[in-house]
């Protein structure tokens, strides 16, 4: 029996700061490619631009066409966002615009990669963040994010059962 049409492939804009070479490699190889290997079109500048390309054009085009945004949060990202510095400062404005006009189901998801809760910049508000500071749970967290970006919940609550007989007697 057909399951119906396949859901549209989500496009996820990966926003991050260029903190260090190991951090950039993690964003590119582990996070972005990890989502891509799960059927999510995750897009980061390191895959889509070359030296000399205008990054602001890339960021604007992607922020206008993506279905979700993943923000890789570190102390450096938070400081640059607070100070409206460089590409992070520019992306902050684009992400705010996305949040203001997002359709139901479109999400901005903070991904905490380094630091503590203060590394999630204030402009993201009280959004629940994903703790990816350790690589131990990376695969399951990427599975959860992939399901989320497809509009699915990986874990579902059990159905509510009838009260047991002893409780029925108490409440009747």
């Amino acid at each position: 029996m057909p399951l119906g049409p396949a859901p549209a492939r989500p496009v996820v804009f990966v926003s991050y700061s260029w903190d260090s070479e190991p951090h950039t490699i993690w964003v590119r190889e582990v996070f972005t490619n990890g989502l891509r290997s799960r059927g999510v079109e995750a897009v980061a500048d390191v895959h889509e631009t070359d030296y000399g390309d205008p990054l602001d054009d890339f960021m604007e085009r992607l922020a206008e066409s993506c279905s979700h945004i993943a923000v890789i949060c570190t102390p450096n990202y938070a400081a640059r966002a607070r100070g409206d510095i460089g590409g992070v400062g520019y992306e902050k404005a684009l992400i705010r615009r996305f949040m203001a006009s997002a359709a139901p189901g479109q999400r901005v998801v903070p991904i905490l990669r380094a630091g503590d809760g203060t590394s999630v910049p204030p402009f993201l508000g009280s959004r629940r963040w994903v703790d990816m500071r350790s690589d131990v749970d990376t695969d399951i967290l990427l599975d959860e994010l992939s399901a989320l970006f497809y509009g699915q919940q990986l874990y579902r609550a059990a159905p509510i059962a009838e009260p047991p007989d002893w409780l029925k007697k108490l409440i009747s």
Side-chain angles (χ1 to χ4, degrees):
M1 177 175 194
L3 298 174
R9 181 173 303 226
V11 177
V12 178
F13 173 17
V14 180
S15 175
Y16 70 102
S17 56
W18 299 348
D19 294 10
S20 64
E21 187 64 20
H23 176 67
T24 303
I25 290 169
W26 183 88
V27 170
R28 180 184 68 223
E29 300 300 329
V30 177
F31 188 79
T32 304
N33 285 345
L35 288 174
R36 293 178 72 83
S37 73
R38 288 162 173 82
V40 174
E41 188 177 342
V43 183
D45 59 357
V46 293
H47 291 123
E48 303 290 327
T49 62
D50 289 316
Y51 295 119
D53 285 350
L55 291 177
D56 53 346
D57 289 347
F58 163 77
M59 290 185 281
E60 287 175 19
R61 196 171 55 254
L62 188 54
E64 291 170 3
S65 64
C66 69
S67 48
H68 308 283
I69 300 175
V71 181
I72 311 298
C73 301
T74 62
N76 185 50
Y77 187 98
R80 296 177 72 78
R82 283 186 189 95
D84 293 322
I85 298 169
V88 171
Y90 190 66
E91 286 179 4
K92 172 184 165 183
L94 296 173
I95 293 168
R96 285 180 126 165
R97 188 174 356 158
F98 178 89
M99 291 188 306
S101 63
Q106 289 186 304
R107 297 182 179 268
V108 175
V109 181
I111 310 295
L112 184 60
R113 180 61 184 154
D116 56 24
T118 63
S119 297
V120 178
F123 82 91
L124 293 174
S126 62
R127 283 174 167 70
R128 182 176 164 198
W129 41 268
V130 179
D131 189 347
M132 295 189 81
R133 291 175 288 184
S134 167
D135 293 328
V136 173
D137 296 323
T138 297
D139 283 333
I140 191 65
L141 292 171
L142 288 171
D143 289 346
E144 290 175 4
L145 285 166
S146 298
L148 174 73
F149 294 142
Y150 270 99
Q152 302 299 312
Q153 186 76 25
L154 196 59
Y155 308 109
R156 299 191 186 277
I160 299 173
E162 286 294 316
D165 289 339
W166 65 266
L167 183 55
K168 285 181 187 177
K169 289 177 187 174
L170 289 174
I171 59 177
S172 58

